[in-house]
Amino acid sequence: MAVKYLVPGGSGIWSNSNNWSLSSGGPSGTGQPNAVDDVIFDANSLNAPITIGGTSNCFSVFMSGYSGTMTYNAALNVAKSFEYSSGMTITGTSNLALGNNTSTPASACYVNFNGVVHNANLSFNNTTAANTIYTIASDIHVLGTVSFANSNVAGSSAKATINGGNIYCYDGFSIYTNGNRWLNGTSNIYFVGGGSGNFTSGVSAFIQVPIIFAKTGGTLNMTVGALYPHGATVTYISGNFTNFIAASNAGTNTFDTSGMVWSSFSVAGGAINLTSQLNVSGTFSNSISNTIGGVGGINCANLTTTGSLTLPAGSTTNISNTLTSVGTAAAPIVIGSSVSTVKANMILSNSGNQDVAHTNGRDIDSDGGTTIMSYRATSIVRCDNWSTLPIITSINTNSILR
C-alpha cells in the first residue's frame, strides 16, 4: 500500500506512470495507483488535468487545493473514501464507483463532493453480503445516473446506508439487486433539474429513505421494475414522469403525490398512508388485508382486491372502469371507517362501452351514510351477503342487482 500524489509531467491519463509521485510535488514515474493505494491531489499537483482512460482502481482519493479538470472516460473504482476539491471541474460520461474496487469492499465509505457538481455517473456498489455505510459530508449533485448496484449477491438482506447530505439526481437512477437489498439511512433522494432520464429497479430493491420528485423539466421514465418503498415517504412537487409503478411490500409507506399519475399501484404487504389523492391511470390492486390510512382517496381506472380493503374515511375513491373483488365475507371492501362518523364515497363512472362489473364480491360494506354512485349500468354479481345495502344513501338507478 502506498500514497500516490498527482504531479504534472505525464500525458494526463491516469494510467501514465509519469503523472504520479510518492511525495507532494516530488519526482514522477512511480506508476499508476492500484487497488490498495491512497491517491492525493493537492496544490503541488498544479491543477494538472487528469483523465480516466481505462478502468482504474484505488483505495481512497483526497483532493485539496486543486482546481483542475478530472474527466471520466472510463470507470474509477474507489473502495474506502472519496473527496473532491472545491472549485475543480468534472467532465466525461463514465462512472465513479464507491465501495467496490475489490470483492470485499470496505464496510464504511466517506464521501465529500465539497459543492462540486459531478458531471458523470455515480454508483454506490456493494457486492458482498455485508452492510455498507456511506457517510455523505455534504449534498451530492449528480448530472449523470445515480445507481445503487447490489446485484452480485442473491438472497441476502444487506443494506446500503446513506447518512448525512442528500443526493440530487438530475438524470437517471437505478437500484439493482438479486436478493433482498435495502437502501436506508438519513439522507433524502431528490429528482431535480430539467434533463430526461430513466428510473430502473430490480426485484426486492427496497427503498427506506425519503424520495422527493421535484423536476423542473424533462421526463423521468421508468423502464424496468417498480418503486419498492419499505417504510418510506414519497413526495411529488413537480415534474413529468411516465410508466411509474409503485409496489408496496413492507413497512408503513406515506404517499403525497397528488400531482403525479402512477401507471399502476399495488399493495402486497405493509401499510399505506395517503396524505393526498392518489392518481393511478391503470389498476390499484390490493392482495392483502389492508387499511389505507391518511386523508387521501384514490382515482384509478380499475380497483382490484383479493383481501379486505378499508378506504380512508372522508375520502373519495373514483373508479373509471372496473371494480373487481374476489374477496369473501371475511375480506370485504369497507368504504369508510367503522369507528368514524365521517364516511367515504366510492364513485363508479365509465364513459366507455364496457359496463362496470363487481365480480364475485361479498360484503361491500357501506358503513352507513356512504354513497356508492354508478354513472353506468352496473352489474353487481354474486353479492349474496350485501347486508348493509339498506343504509346506502344513494345508488344510481341504472344499476342492476342480481
Side-chain angles (χ1 to χ4, degrees):
M1 180 176 182
V3 179
K4 301 289 181 75
Y5 291 82
L6 175 66
V7 292
S11 64
I13 302 299
W14 181 283
S15 59
N16 189 297
S17 175
N18 290 327
N19 291 317
W20 305 103
S21 174
L22 292 177
S23 61
S24 176
S28 63
T30 61
Q32 75 175 63
N34 59 39
V36 296
D37 290 340
D38 294 317
V39 172
I40 295 179
F41 293 23
D42 62 12
N44 289 325
S45 299
L46 301 179
N47 299 325
I50 192 74
T51 297
I52 313 298
T55 300
S56 302
N57 304 301
C58 63
F59 189 71
S60 66
V61 175
F62 294 99
M63 303 182 188
S64 178
Y66 172 83
S67 58
T69 298
M70 186 172 184
T71 302
Y72 289 88
N73 287 342
L76 175 62
N77 301 312
V78 181
K80 183 69 175 179
S81 301
F82 188 92
E83 183 171 8
Y84 279 135
S85 176
S86 177
M88 66 179 296
T89 301
I90 305 302
T91 64
T93 59
S94 192
N95 188 49
L96 168 62
L98 301 177
N100 179 35
N101 88 339
T102 69
S103 60
T104 55
S107 60
C109 186
Y110 171 83
V111 186
N112 188 359
F113 279 11
N114 277 314
V116 174
V117 176
H118 185 74
N119 190 23
N121 297 327
L122 175 66
S123 64
F124 297 83
N125 289 357
N126 178 5
T127 58
T128 74
N131 299 334
T132 300
I133 300 174
Y134 299 92
T135 299
I136 302 174
S138 60
D139 289 347
I140 290 178
H141 293 262
V142 182
L143 298 188
T145 297
V146 176
S147 64
F148 287 83
N150 301 317
S151 58
N152 294 334
V153 181
S156 71
S157 296
K159 297 182 180 181
T161 300
I162 50 175
N163 292 330
N166 301 317
I167 299 176
Y168 289 82
C169 307
Y170 288 75
D171 190 354
F173 180 88
S174 67
I175 176 168
Y176 267 110
T177 178
N178 287 336
N180 295 326
R181 312 286 285 192
W182 299 345
L183 171 60
N184 70 352
T186 62
S187 300
N188 298 337
I189 296 179
Y190 287 83
F191 294 92
V192 296
S196 295
N198 296 322
F199 188 116
T200 60
S201 178
V203 175
S204 300
F206 299 127
I207 298 178
Q208 296 179 294
V209 298
I211 300 292
I212 299 96
F213 297 109
K215 290 188 68 65
T216 56
T219 299
L220 192 62
N221 178 44
M222 178 167 281
T223 57
V224 176
L227 176 64
Y228 296 98
H230 191 297
T233 298
V234 181
T235 304
Y236 173 87
I237 298 173
S238 61
N240 297 319
F241 303 89
T242 60
N243 305 315
F244 257 68
I245 299 170
S248 175
N249 295 326
T252 298
N253 299 299
T254 298
F255 285 82
D256 183 7
T257 59
S258 62
M260 182 177 178
V261 178
W262 298 91
S263 295
S264 65
F265 197 107
S266 65
V267 183
I272 293 292
N273 184 58
L274 300 180
T275 61
S276 60
Q277 198 77 2
L278 184 74
N279 301 306
V280 183
S281 62
T283 298
F284 179 96
S285 62
N286 181 78
S287 59
I288 63 167
S289 297
N290 189 271
T291 297
I292 305 296
V295 297
I298 301 169
N299 296 322
C300 60
N302 309 299
L303 190 148
T304 300
T305 177
T306 56
S308 63
L309 176 64
T310 301
L311 301 170
S315 68
T316 296
T317 296
N318 296 288
I319 305 170
S320 62
N321 191 21
T322 303
L323 166 64
T324 303
S325 173
V326 293
T328 65
I333 297 178
V334 179
I335 309 169
S337 170
S338 60
V339 297
S340 173
T341 59
V342 179
K343 307 307 176 184
N345 299 323
M346 177 176 285
I347 301 174
L348 308 177
S349 58
N350 189 350
S351 58
N353 295 322
Q354 180 181 356
D355 288 347
V356 178
H358 179 78
T359 306
N360 296 334
R362 299 173 62 91
D363 285 1
I364 299 182
D365 189 351
S366 72
D367 200 23
T370 297
T371 299
I372 297 180
M373 182 71 73
S374 173
Y375 294 100
R376 292 287 298 163
T378 304
S379 177
I380 308 297
V381 181
R382 290 184 57 193
C383 290
D384 52 296
N385 193 24
W386 198 340
S387 59
T388 56
L389 178 61
I391 61 173
I392 297 176
T393 57
S394 61
I395 188 165
N396 188 275
T397 55
N398 289 330
S399 298
I400 302 172
L401 304 179
R402 60 183 178 180

